[in-house]
Amino acid sequence: MSAKGCSPDNAAAEGFFGRPRQEFFHKRSFAGVSMDGFINMLNDYMVWYRDRRIKTEFGMSIMDRRRELGLVA
């Protein structure tokens, strides 16, 4: 295991979990949302993040990039 407080080890996880906080949590109020409703909203966000969100590195979504490379049908 790495030394306590060694930030390069945590950079990838911090970067990933920081993005949903900015794009999903801080942009809405969850007042009156049930736990099941929240889970469904979070699941929808994660599917959008994985399949449809535009990645600046590619200029397209990751699924479009995979299709371009012939990795998916």
Side-chain angles (χ1 to χ4, degrees), residues 2 14 16 18 24 28 35 39 52 56 62-63:
S2 64
E14 292 293 332
F16 171 76
F24 179 71
R28 62 189 74 184
M35 183 61 73
I39 290 170
R52 308 222 16 143
T56 56
I62 194 68
M63 289 305 288

Side-chain angles (χ1 to χ4, degrees), residues 3 7 12 16-17 19 26 30 32 42 44 50 53-54 71:
S7 62
F16 171 76
F17 287 109
R19 196 157 320 277
H26 294 306
F30 295 103
L42 183 58
D44 291 343
R50 181 191 67 204
R53 186 173 179 273
I54 303 297
L71 299 175

Side-chain angles (χ1 to χ4, degrees), residues 50-51 58 60-73:
R50 181 191 67 204
D51 295 340
F58 304 126
M60 61 184 75
S61 74
I62 194 68
M63 289 305 288
D64 290 341
R65 175 70 174 168
R66 289 175 181 161
R67 282 186 199 97
E68 183 181 84
L69 295 172
L71 299 175
V72 294

